[in-house]
Amino acid sequence: MKFVRYLDRNLERSLLTVILVTISITLIAQVFMRYFLASPLVWAEELSRFLLVWCTMIGSSYAVRESRHIIVDFAPVMFGKRSITFFTLVSHLGVLAFCITALYYGVPFVERVRSIGQLSPTLNLPMWLVYLALPVGMAATALRTLQAIYLLLIKPTPSDDHDETNTEVM
């Protein structure tokens, strides 16, 4: 159970850290090779771009986990503090609907690309691995959203604890 709890708290953060460090090292090496040795790494930009795609998709899951996604809070401000739980739930349900829609169309797309056998130009990496970021990221985001809904429903935000200047919903 400790391992599951560790994964729950640190999986996305660890993956994002590894990806961002890899992107940074790759691009620093690319700049060094290009400007100081006049021999650029032809694969560095492509690898960085593909890793950035994965970073974005995993980052969406992490944003939901940490309640750091973009929040439009005009409705709770208009209707008062007591409506925060309701509008947070509506927001989570919208995110969940988006994730399910993206999964519905993303998985068959990845399967089509895999069946074609398309490779990336410089790395010769199967392109379905790059496109797999969408279903994986949306599935992880959907799971984190379900987790956020569960936590919201078992422990709703008390209206007394929010001050007027707080703009965060969760």
Side-chain angles (χ1 to χ4, degrees), residues 16-37:
L16 290 170
T17 301
V18 168
I19 290 171
L20 289 173
V21 166
T22 303
I23 290 172
S24 299
I25 290 171
T26 302
L27 292 178
I28 289 169
Q30 166 68 348
V31 168
F32 179 78
M33 295 293 290
R34 175 173 294 194
Y35 291 108
F36 294 106
L37 301 180

Side-chain angles (χ1 to χ4, degrees), residues 23-142:
I23 290 172
S24 299
I25 290 171
T26 302
L27 292 178
I28 289 169
Q30 166 68 348
V31 168
F32 179 78
M33 295 293 290
R34 175 173 294 194
Y35 291 108
F36 294 106
L37 301 180
S39 178
L41 303 171
V42 294
W43 50 266
E45 182 183 341
E46 187 173 283
L47 176 64
S48 296
R49 190 177 332 117
F50 293 164
L51 287 175
L52 188 60
V53 169
W54 274 92
C55 184
T56 301
M57 300 315 297
I58 294 169
S60 69
S61 172
Y62 186 64
V64 172
R65 160 95 170 70
E66 297 293 317
S67 296
R68 298 289 183 185
H69 51 284
I70 296 172
I71 298 170
V72 179
D73 63 351
F74 72 91
V77 170
M78 267 180 43
F79 294 106
K81 295 180 206 173
R82 294 178 189 233
S83 67
I84 290 174
T85 301
F86 172 75
F87 285 112
T88 301
L89 180 62
V90 169
S91 171
H92 285 316
L93 291 174
V95 169
L96 190 59
F98 176 79
C99 291
I100 290 170
T101 303
L103 275 168
Y104 180 79
Y105 290 105
V107 171
F109 177 73
V110 171
E111 289 174 356
R112 276 194 307 273
V113 172
R114 189 175 64 78
S115 69
I116 292 171
Q118 180 184 4
L119 298 175
S120 67
T122 58
L123 291 172
N124 287 324
L125 187 71
M127 286 303 293
W128 69 269
L129 290 174
V130 178
Y131 293 124
L132 186 64
L134 177 70
V136 169
M138 289 296 103
T141 302

